[in-house]
Amino acid sequence: MLLTRVLFSGCAIACLLTPMFAEPAPIILSGKVLMKDGTPPTKTVSIEKTCSDSLTGTPGPLTNKKGEYVWRMMIDVLDTQQCRLQVNSADYTSTQVNISGLNGHTTTTVSLDTIILSFKVSDPYQITTEDGAVPGKSRGAWKTALANSRRDMSAAETQMQQVVTDSPKFAPGWHALGVLQRLQGKDAEARKSLEQAVAADPKFVAAYVILAQIAIKQEEWGAAAKASDDAIAQDKKVMYPEEYLHLSVAKYHLKDMAGAEAAVKEALTAKNQGKVPRAEYVLGRIMVAKGDVAGGREHMAKYLQMEPDATDRSEIQTFMQTLDKPGANEPALEVVP
């Protein structure tokens, strides 16, 4: 009887406590959404919750003019899925804030880390194409190459070589091969592959953009200018606004200051504003070369504000302090991968 009573008592306690803590509890989450320079986005954006057990996100509140948001939601402490908040926007990419493990039974309000936004631009290194667009005889090698690309790039390169061997006029295959080679530091091989891509399809803008990067890294300014001009001519929707930066850098080194200024200002027009922060620095350098030291310093400072994590931040800061001194050490106009 005693054992029975003890078991019954334990069950009673568990049965009383479990429902209380198993039920979702309300919690209030608050946070901010800011650009890299610390300013709120110029328009309201929507917060979204994404969880590991779902392929789609749950829409949440909009930010106010200060970039602030408040989200009242229900939290289930027994839910083991991983959840995060981010911004859902066609114009921006955002960092994520982890909200896993919150307990609405013990905490009623939580102040979250700031979500940081960057303007969304197309990535010339992205390898994508619909399966139906891949020639049938190359489809198997293509799928294998993409599957290997994240864990064994060398194997992926070998498979992509097979793709272009079987389908030599398949431009996306040559582009993909060039990307895989470039990511392994094989710039000479990547250049040849990307040249094959644009030979097969002169409108393949992403290939021109990477060709310009390679030429800039190798300080082949004429080749960089040509690749950038070709990219601009084909990129009617300006999917890759960085092409104007590449062109400006090339023309600067070719001593064409008027052309360099016109190109970099195109990168800073309203439709591209904020998408190419480095353009502010390059414009500053152009102004210094024209004798406007104060104006040049202002644009460089704006760049550092927009890109607080710039890899050459300290070099630029030192250069800004010595602009009016002869022999100042000039940082690179553009840091290319």
Side-chain angles (χ1 to χ4, degrees), residues 144-204:
T144 303
L146 294 187
N148 283 329
S149 62
R150 293 187 178 182
R151 59 180 180 267
D152 189 344
M153 208 165 290
S154 178
E157 179 188 355
T158 299
Q159 290 296 325
M160 202 59 75
Q161 287 276 12
Q162 188 62 50
V163 169
V164 297
T165 297
D166 293 339
S167 305
K169 294 184 179 182
F170 180 47
W174 285 109
H175 166 257
L177 178 59
V179 167
L180 292 168
Q181 292 166 331
R182 183 98 214 279
L183 293 177
Q184 295 178 84
K186 302 177 181 180
D187 280 1
E189 293 92 332
R191 189 173 191 169
K192 292 179 181 179
S193 297
L194 294 164
E195 287 172 347
Q196 289 287 345
V198 296
D201 181 3
K203 295 183 179 181
F204 209 114

Side-chain angles (χ1 to χ4, degrees), residues 99-335:
I99 60 168
S100 305
L102 296 178
N103 189 338
H105 294 284
T106 59
T107 305
T108 57
T109 61
V110 176
S111 180
L112 300 172
D113 292 338
T114 300
I115 295 174
I116 305 299
L117 296 184
S118 301
F119 284 99
K120 188 179 292 185
V121 294
S122 297
D123 181 4
Y125 290 85
Q126 186 173 9
I127 301 174
T128 56
T129 192
E130 296 179 2
D131 285 346
V134 182
K137 56 187 174 182
S138 298
R139 202 163 296 163
W142 174 266
K143 289 183 177 180
T144 303
L146 294 187
N148 283 329
S149 62
R150 293 187 178 182
R151 59 180 180 267
D152 189 344
M153 208 165 290
S154 178
E157 179 188 355
T158 299
Q159 290 296 325
M160 202 59 75
Q161 287 276 12
Q162 188 62 50
V163 169
V164 297
T165 297
D166 293 339
S167 305
K169 294 184 179 182
F170 180 47
W174 285 109
H175 166 257
L177 178 59
V179 167
L180 292 168
Q181 292 166 331
R182 183 98 214 279
L183 293 177
Q184 295 178 84
K186 302 177 181 180
D187 280 1
E189 293 92 332
R191 189 173 191 169
K192 292 179 181 179
S193 297
L194 294 164
E195 287 172 347
Q196 289 287 345
V198 296
D201 181 3
K203 295 183 179 181
F204 209 114
V205 181
Y208 290 121
V209 176
I210 304 176
L211 281 170
Q213 290 181 351
I214 294 174
I216 287 171
K217 188 174 182 179
Q218 296 176 346
E219 298 186 359
E220 297 181 11
W221 308 120
K226 183 181 185 309
S228 300
D229 274 329
D230 289 340
I232 291 168
Q234 300 297 337
D235 191 7
K236 306 302 182 182
K237 295 183 179 180
V238 194
M239 300 295 292
Y240 304 92
E242 66 191 89
E243 59 207 9
Y244 291 104
L245 175 64
H246 300 331
L247 180 59
S248 178
V249 170
K251 287 186 175 293
Y252 181 100
H253 286 287
L254 291 170
K255 310 301 181 184
D256 179 4
M257 290 301 166
E261 184 173 359
V264 82
K265 284 185 175 179
E266 192 64 35
L268 294 170
T269 56
K271 62 182 178 182
N272 296 325
Q273 191 172 11
K275 295 181 180 179
V276 193
R278 191 76 178 192
E280 288 287 354
Y281 169 69
V282 173
L283 180 57
R285 288 283 298 275
I286 293 170
M287 295 182 74
V288 170
K290 293 171 62 177
D292 185 358
V293 174
R297 186 179 284 115
E298 181 179 341
H299 282 284
M300 292 182 205
K302 185 173 181 180
Y303 165 68
L304 293 179
Q305 182 182 11
M306 295 173 69
E307 285 288 352
D309 299 324
T311 57
D312 56 350
R313 183 181 184 85
S314 59
E315 292 91 336
I316 293 176
Q317 288 176 323
T318 300
F319 177 64
M320 289 170 62
Q321 295 169 0
T322 58
L323 283 176
D324 50 359
K325 297 179 182 179
N329 186 29
E330 298 179 348
L333 286 174
E334 182 181 6
V335 180

